[in-house]
């Protein structure tokens, strides 16, 4: 708990500093003027692209959950939106924990197993995102700090994949027996680890991971379309490779600890990358604000509707069924 509070406090501080940097570099009056002239049809297109993005992410998570238990599309979408709503309101990406906890209560999943599927989802998402950013950098010939950041992302992705592989193969390692004996004095921890591994185990199933990668590519393509539409709304025309770099770079910035909704870091990175692409600061910030507002609006409204529709309490016992891996309950 203390660690979470520290991370949350650090995130809020980073958001405040990021906002201060943005305000110090951009004429807000000019940004307001640019936004007042925004084309409403392209703004609507940006919102539509966000909805398409979320649809792809729902199909992806639904596929990752399928080896454990099939969950219908609409409930899966609702759980996803509720998690994103929590991310908009809470720091430190706590929405991922909210999502796994909420699904566990409603579907009879082990919460740890559900969290394991989300961890796999995050790793796949990061790998695809870094790959797309790398392609954009190669096509545009961009260097400097942006290229260095993507290289760091590649290294981090490699570490995540290695960590996942170690977690899945842990029982085969020489010290596994001693480790299990050491943890046996805490049965709850041992049970929790087993259930978490049940969710992580889907990463070893090609029939599950390959579609997840495909859905991730489609989701980020939709995100790029949303950024392109936001740019068109404020009179900024970007090449496809430039849009891909801008959207992937901003998305990678969400890994930085920040306040609720990634406010501040999202805008700062957006303005910086737009500047590298030759977009004036006011137009760059306006574009970024529209893309960010579209995401916040759709996930917040959608999350609130899902919460009202599904309710907060646990599902009735007769509706809950144990998952196929890791057992039921939490």
């Amino acid at each position: 708990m203390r660690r979470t509070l520290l991370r949350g406090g650090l995130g809020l501080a980073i958001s405040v500093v990021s906002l201060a940097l943005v305000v110090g570099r951009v004429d807000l009056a000019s940004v307001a003027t640019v936004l007042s002239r925004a084309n409403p049809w392209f703004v609507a297109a940006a919102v539509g692209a966000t909805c398409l993005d979320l649809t792809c992410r729902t199909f992806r998570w639904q596929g990752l959950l399928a080896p454990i238990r099939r969950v219908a599309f609409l409930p899966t979408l609702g759980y996803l939106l509720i998690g994103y709503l929590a991310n908009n309101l809470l720091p430190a990406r706590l929405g991922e924990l909210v999502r796994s906890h909420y699904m566990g209560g409603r579907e009879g999943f082990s919460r740890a197993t559900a969290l394991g599927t989300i961890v796999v989802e995050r790793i796949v998402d990061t790998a695809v995102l870094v790959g797309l950013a790398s392609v954009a950098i190669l096509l545009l010939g961009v260097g400097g700090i942006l290229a260095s950041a993507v290289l760091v992302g590649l290294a981090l992705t490699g570490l995540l994949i290695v960590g996942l592989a170690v977690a899945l193969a842990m029982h085969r390692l020489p010290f596994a027996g001693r480790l299990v004996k050491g943890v046996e004095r805490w049965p709850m921890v041992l049970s929790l680890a087993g259930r978490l591994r049940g969710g992580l185990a889907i990463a070893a199933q090609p029939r599950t991971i390959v579609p997840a990668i495909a859905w991730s590519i489609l989701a980020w393509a939709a995100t790029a379309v949303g950024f392109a539409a936001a740019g068109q709304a404020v009179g900024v025309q970007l090449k496809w490779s430039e849009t891909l770099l801008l959207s992937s770079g901003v998305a990678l910035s969400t890994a930085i600890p920040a306040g609720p909704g990634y406010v501040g870091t999202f805008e700062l990175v957006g303005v910086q990358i737009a500047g590298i692409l030759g977009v004036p600061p006011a137009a760059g910030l306006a574009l970024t604000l529209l893309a960010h507002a579209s995401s916040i609006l759709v996930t917040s409204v959608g999350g609130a509707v899902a919460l009202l529709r599904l309710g907060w309490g646990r599902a009735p016992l007769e509706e809950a069924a144990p998952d196929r891996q890791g057992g039921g309950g939490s």
Side-chain angles (χ1 to χ4, degrees), residues 307-330:
L307 196 56
L308 289 172
R309 182 176 179 274
L310 296 172
W312 183 252
R314 294 177 63 93
L317 291 177
E318 62 269 19
E319 295 180 11
D323 46 303
R324 298 174 203 159
Q325 298 181 30
S330 59

Side-chain angles (χ1 to χ4, degrees), residues 278-304:
V279 179
L285 180 55
L287 184 167
T288 305
L289 285 172
L290 282 178
H292 199 182
S294 171
S295 174
I296 295 290
L297 175 66
V298 172
T299 54
S300 295
V301 172

Side-chain angles (χ1 to χ4, degrees), residues 12 22 47 58 67 85 98 106 119 165 190 200-201 206 218 235 241 248 275 301:
L12 288 172
V22 171
V47 173
T58 302
L85 171 62
V98 171
R106 298 295 303 175
V119 171
L190 191 62
L200 295 176
L218 290 174
S241 55
S248 59
V301 172

Side-chain angles (χ1 to χ4, degrees), residues 65-127:
L65 290 167
I68 303 167
R69 180 181 170 189
R70 288 205 174 273
V71 182
F73 176 83
L74 285 180
T76 305
L77 174 61
Y79 304 139
L80 184 76
L81 287 170
I82 289 168
Y84 286 166
L85 171 62
N87 274 337
N88 294 342
L89 299 174
L90 302 171
R93 296 188 75 100
L94 291 176
E96 311 297 13
L97 295 177
V98 171
R99 185 175 17 146
S100 62
H101 183 86
Y102 189 83
M103 169 171 270
R106 298 295 303 175
E107 295 289 338
F109 268 62
S110 158
R111 291 176 173 86
T113 301
L115 182 60
T117 67
I118 294 173
V119 171
V120 174
E121 177 194 270
R122 294 291 89 209
I123 293 174
V124 169
D125 218 26
T126 302

Side-chain angles (χ1 to χ4, degrees), residues 144-293:
I145 189 171
L146 190 55
S148 299
V150 172
L151 286 175
V152 171
L154 282 170
L156 176 61
T157 301
L159 287 174
L160 290 173
I161 293 173
V162 169
L164 179 60
V166 170
L168 293 177
M170 184 71 75
H171 63 290
R172 300 179 182 175
L173 298 178
F175 57 84
R178 284 178 292 176
L179 182 62
V180 171
K181 287 183 179 179
V183 179
E184 280 179 347
R185 68 186 73 177
W186 297 293
M188 186 176 294
V189 174
L190 191 62
S191 175
L192 186 64
R195 291 170 179 170
L196 178 62
R197 189 179 180 280
L200 295 176
I202 60 174
Q205 303 180 23
R207 287 185 299 177
T208 300
I209 289 300
V210 172
I213 293 172
W215 282 118
S216 293
I217 293 172
L218 290 174
W220 288 118
T223 298
V225 170
F227 270 82
Q232 290 283 358
V234 296
V236 176
Q237 296 186 0
L238 298 171
K239 299 176 183 177
W240 175 247
S241 55
E242 293 174 333
T243 305
L244 187 60
L245 180 61
L246 178 59
S247 57
S248 59
V250 170
L252 285 171
S253 75
T254 61
I256 302 171
Y262 320 113
V263 172
T265 53
F266 194 103
E267 284 70 26
L268 179 61
V269 173
V271 170
Q272 291 288 101
I273 297 177
I276 292 172
L277 299 176
V279 179
L285 180 55
L287 184 167
T288 305
L289 285 172
L290 282 178
H292 199 182

